[in-house]
Every structure is written in C-alpha cells, then in structure tokens.
Amino acid sequence: MLFVLLICSALISGSEVAFFSLNNNDVEELKKGESNTRLLKLRDKPRSLLATILISNNFINIAIIIISDLIFTELLPEGYFNNTATWFQENIFFLKGLSIPAISNAIIFFITVVGVTFLLVLFGEVLPKIYANINKIKFAKLMATPLAVLMFLLGGFSKILVKWSNQIESKVDKHKGSAKSRLKDDIDKAIDLTVSQEENAEEEADILKGILKFSDVLVKQIMTSRMDTVSVDMQTSFTEVLKVVKESGYSRIPVYKEDFDNLEGILYVKDLLGHTDNNQDYNWQQFIRKDMLYIPESKKINELLREFQLKRLHMAIVVDEYGGTSGIVTLEDIMEEIIGDIRDEFDEDSDIEFLRIDDNNFIFEGKTLLNDVCRVIGEDINIFDEIKGESDSLAGMFLEVTGRFPKVDSELDLNPYKLKIVSMTNKRIEKINLMIKR
C-alpha cells in the first residue's frame, strides 16, 4: 500500500512540472493530435489544475505518513527503544521529568518523520520532477485522464482554494499598487526638494520625473491616432507622394491599400532621394518595406523601447482589441516622454494646438492628449486618472464622464476645472474651453 501511494505521489508531483513547463511550441504540437483535447482543456484552466494537484498531493502525503507510522510501530514496538529512552532520560536534564514510554514514542516519531520525509522528497518530488521535465509531453499525456477525474472529484475543494487565492492576490496587488503610488509621490517630492535653483533646474526635474513614470505609460497614451496620421494610398501617383513628403517632413510614411486598416508597409523617404526627377508614373511602390511591427494599445512604452532596440525599428503600428489600426507610435514619441519635446527643422512652433486666453482659460483641440493638457496648464499628469476611465484625450474624457454626445456650449464641472464645448462636428468634438477656477 505504501509503495502504491509513493507511486501516486510521484505521478501527481511530476504532472505539475509537465503541465506547467509546456511552451507554445509544445502546445502547437499537441493541437495537431485529436487525442490531446483533454490535456489542452486542463492547461486552459491553470489555477484549477494547480489547486487539484496540490490538494491531491497533500491527501496522498498525509496517507503516506499515517500508514508509515502504523507500519513502523508494528515493526519496531516501543519496548525496542526502552534502553535508548532510559539513556536519554538519565543524561539529558530536561527529559528527566518524562516517562520512558513517552521518550520511546518520541524517538519512533522522529525516525518515522525523517524516513518518510526522505522517501517523499526523493521518490515523490525530486526524481519524478526531473523525469517530467525531460519528458514533459509524454508525462502530460499520461496524466491527462487521471487529473481530469481528480479535477471532477475535487472540484468543490479546488474552487474554494482558487477563490481564496484570487482574493488574497487582489488584496496584495491593491496594497502593492497603493504602496507603489505612495513611493512615487514621495520620490516626486524628493526631486522637487533636492533639485537646485540653477537655470534649467525645472527641466532637469521633469526629466527625472519622466524616468520615474516611464514604465507606467501605455502606447495608447503617446501614439498618433489614425485620424492624425500622415499616410499614402498605394494608388497615389509619384508626384502626389513627393508632395505629401514635402508638406509633412516625415522620414517614414505608412502606405495602405484602400483603407488604413489594410497597411502594405512603410515608405522610407530616403529611398526616394535619387528619384525625385522622375515623372508621376514612376513605380515608387517598389520601395515599400514590409517589415512592420504591430503592437497592442496596452503595451508599456518601456517594453516597446526594448523591442525597437532589438529589431532596429523606429516606428510601430498600433492596433486595437479588434485588430483595427489605431495609429502609429515612433521612437521619438517614446523619448519625448522622458526628455520632453524633441524639436527639429520640420516641427511647427507648437505641436500642441491650443489658445491661451489668460492664465486660467485655455482652448484646446478635442483630440489633445490629457498628458499634453496637463503640461500646458502646469499640473501633474495624473490629476485626471480617477475620472478619465479608458480615455486619453480631452474630448474622450468629456464623453467618458458625461456618457453622452454633447452639444456646443455643453459644460462639465470637474472642480477645480470646468470644460465647455466650443465647437464640434456631427461626429467629433473639435475645440474645448478649459477653465481653472481659482
């Protein structure tokens, strides 16, 4: 019986390593076989699977300990250790008050624990996990059916365990998030206190704060939306392409076919330099580069920067959850989050379109990003975090808070700020007046 339980313990322990070490290539290989459906279903429920494995393993280990104690007691009765117990009682002062049978039982228990622990660690944990790691696919296939049965039998226990772990995890994450936020606030204050009073000290402080918050910024917050992206259609004549290049001043331009959701590649303007004298029928499409990088809106910009470095790219196409093109993001956009606006000979006097009426009144384009609005009015970029929801622009926040499409002169009170719609089209908020109530 003890031998059977040890085998069960080894199989359960090994299955944990086998299932959770399967990589994407292993999964793709398993999907090719129709008999692996049960295995893949188990892998799709990692928390329930892990809970079932842990509960099963604990039950088996407890059974092994109980049976081992019974076997050991039968093989070595307490009288067998009486002489040893007597020696302990006579020579160890804190055992003098205990009886010989009690000391004898303690010795038996200690030997049992050491022996069982050795068996469990070696044959129930180490060896099966080493084997499962080497033969993970084979081991996972072997244990798929037994684990499916155990998951069905222990479903109630595993659901309770998963629920508890989720609650604990959410509380820990919440605590870590609030602690992280407090830490960043403290560092912000420390930067303001320690920065020198020399010229350009404010810019230096902004760079330090930008580095501090760099890992929390999403691509969606800094990208250029598809409505504001300069791009060209595949069917555009060479003359028109040159005109777009000259007017935009960009070195890389996305090329699409019929619709911006159907991108064909990126046109590098430097590839056209030797062909500017060609006529409008010139085949400029031959220079379209297909090596495009697609990224989700939710990607962190610190991760994107690493990806740009590894793939030696300067531009990425941002896609939404439905696979549509949301816009583009460039290496320059990322760097500006740290060091501020990077100005070149093609930039206008201000990338942020706004009108300052007085110190407390500003008129912004509806598409203006909240981060840029905060920089213009001199406020922390996180002041709207609690109310903006999923929005990133001033118009988006207005729609998020009100929950309806507004009309001209519609107002939104966000004490100490007040937003008022100045102009709009049927589908878009064009200009918003932001007033600071002081």
Side-chain angles (χ1 to χ4, degrees):
M1 182 65 178
L2 181 62
F3 181 71
V4 173
L5 289 174
L6 274 174
I7 292 176
C8 292
S9 178
L11 291 172
I12 295 294
S13 298
S15 63
E16 180 182 352
V17 172
F19 273 89
F20 291 99
S21 62
L22 293 173
N23 55 41
N24 292 333
N25 292 332
D26 296 329
V27 173
E28 291 301 321
E29 183 181 338
L30 289 168
K31 286 181 179 178
K32 295 177 183 177
E34 296 181 0
S35 59
N36 300 321
T37 305
R38 183 179 287 112
L39 189 158
L40 295 171
K41 285 183 178 179
L42 288 173
R43 192 180 179 278
D44 289 338
K45 300 176 181 178
R47 289 180 180 268
S48 298
L49 177 60
L50 182 60
T52 301
I53 290 173
L54 293 176
I55 293 170
S56 303
N57 216 10
N58 281 325
F59 280 153
I60 293 170
N61 290 345
I62 291 170
I64 289 173
I65 292 171
I66 293 172
I67 293 173
S68 298
D69 184 62
L70 292 174
I71 293 173
F72 202 73
T73 303
E74 288 295 325
L75 294 176
L76 299 173
E78 63 182 42
Y80 185 83
F81 293 98
N82 282 344
N83 292 334
T84 306
T86 301
W87 185 89
F88 275 119
Q89 188 188 50
E90 291 175 353
N91 293 279
I92 300 177
F93 71 93
F94 59 83
L95 296 178
K96 292 182 187 263
L98 296 177
S99 64
I100 297 298
I103 299 174
S104 180
N105 286 333
I107 295 171
I108 293 173
F109 176 77
F110 177 76
I111 295 175
T112 303
V113 169
V114 172
V116 172
T117 301
F118 174 78
L119 290 174
L120 285 176
V121 171
L122 182 61
F123 298 106
E125 293 288 335
V126 177
L127 293 179
K129 286 184 176 180
I130 291 174
Y131 178 81
N133 191 46
I134 297 171
N135 304 279
K136 52 188 175 183
I137 295 179
K138 181 179 178 181
F139 207 105
K141 288 181 177 180
L142 174 67
M143 291 302 296
T145 300
L147 284 176
V149 174
L150 287 172
M151 187 177 286
F152 174 76
L153 296 175
L154 301 174
F157 291 106
S158 61
K159 284 180 181 178
I160 294 172
L161 188 60
V162 170
K163 185 178 180 181
W164 284 352
S165 65
N166 287 339
Q167 290 175 348
I168 294 171
E169 185 178 348
S170 62
K171 289 180 180 179
V172 170
D173 288 344
K174 185 176 181 181
H175 175 73
K176 288 172 74 175
S178 60
K180 185 178 179 181
S181 178
R182 288 196 300 270
L183 178 61
K184 288 188 175 181
D185 290 340
D186 291 341
I187 296 175
D188 271 351
K189 292 176 183 177
I191 291 172
D192 291 331
L193 288 172
T194 56
V195 72
S196 65
Q197 300 301 315
E198 300 174 3
E199 188 179 356
N200 298 326
E202 186 176 345
E203 288 80 357
E204 292 175 6
D206 288 340
I207 290 175
L208 291 172
K209 290 179 181 180
I211 294 172
L212 179 65
K213 296 171 181 175
F214 188 64
S215 61
D216 293 330
V217 180
L218 303 178
V219 166
K220 185 180 179 181
Q221 295 174 259
I222 68 167
M223 72 178 187
T224 301
S225 69
R226 63 182 292 164
M227 296 186 68
D228 302 312
T229 299
V230 175
S231 58
V232 293
D233 191 297
M234 281 278 290
Q235 304 303 319
T236 305
S237 67
F238 185 57
T239 304
E240 287 298 317
V241 170
L242 291 178
K243 184 179 178 181
V244 171
V245 169
K246 184 178 180 181
E247 291 178 351
S248 68
Y250 294 132
S251 59
R252 297 169 179 82
I253 298 177
V255 180
Y256 62 89
K257 186 176 182 180
E258 297 180 357
D259 185 83
F260 194 64
D261 285 326
N262 187 22
L263 288 172
E264 290 292 317
I266 306 294
L267 175 65
Y268 284 53
V269 173
K270 66 178 182 179
D271 294 334
L272 303 178
L273 292 179
H275 309 278
T276 53
D277 294 331
N278 292 326
N279 58 37
Q280 65 174 3
D281 296 327
Y282 181 69
N283 180 28
W284 62 269
Q285 291 86 351
Q286 62 183 303
F287 298 113
I288 297 174
R289 303 195 187 190
K290 303 291 185 178
D291 53 339
M292 293 184 292
L293 175 62
Y294 289 92
I295 58 168
E297 295 175 336
S298 57
K299 195 178 189 70
K300 298 286 183 68
I301 62 172
N302 62 322
E303 297 173 359
L304 177 58
L305 179 58
R306 286 193 221 101
E307 202 163 348
F308 275 158
Q309 290 173 320
L310 291 171
K311 298 183 178 180
R312 297 184 179 182
L313 296 174
H314 290 74
M315 177 185 288
I317 310 301
V318 186
V319 295
D320 58 25
E321 58 185 310
Y322 304 106
T325 306
S326 298
I328 63 171
V329 63
T330 65
L331 181 60
E332 182 177 329
D333 294 329
I334 296 176
M335 300 311 297
E336 285 183 345
E337 281 302 303
I338 299 178
I339 62 177
D341 290 340
I342 301 173
R343 315 209 59 77
D344 58 36
E345 65 273 23
F346 295 106
D347 284 335
E348 298 177 1
D349 291 339
S350 175
D351 287 333
I352 306 172
E353 297 183 16
F354 72 96
L355 173 65
R356 183 192 295 269
I357 299 174
D358 54 45
D359 290 342
N360 297 326
N361 280 278
F362 303 82
I363 294 180
F364 289 97
E365 293 282 333
K367 66 183 180 181
T368 307
L369 295 177
L370 293 173
N371 288 1
D372 293 333
V373 172
C374 294
R375 291 192 183 101
V376 171
I377 65 178
E379 297 288 355
D380 188 276
I381 61 173
N382 299 316
I383 56 173
F384 298 118
D385 282 358
E386 294 184 2
I387 60 172
K388 71 174 186 176
E390 297 296 321
S391 61
D392 295 303
S393 65
L394 196 59
M397 184 176 69
F398 197 106
L399 296 171
E400 180 81 20
V401 175
T402 59
R404 56 185 174 79
F405 204 74
K407 298 179 180 179
V408 175
D409 294 332
S410 296
E411 295 182 351
L412 175 61
D413 195 346
L414 300 171
N415 192 38
Y417 309 101
K418 186 175 182 180
L419 303 181
K420 182 178 180 179
I421 305 297
V422 176
S423 64
M424 60 184 298
T425 63
N426 292 333
K427 297 182 179 180
R428 190 178 186 184
I429 299 174
E430 292 186 334
K431 294 186 183 296
I432 297 179
N433 174 216
L434 186 148
M435 182 178 69
I436 306 174
K437 296 186 289 185
R438 295 177 181 175

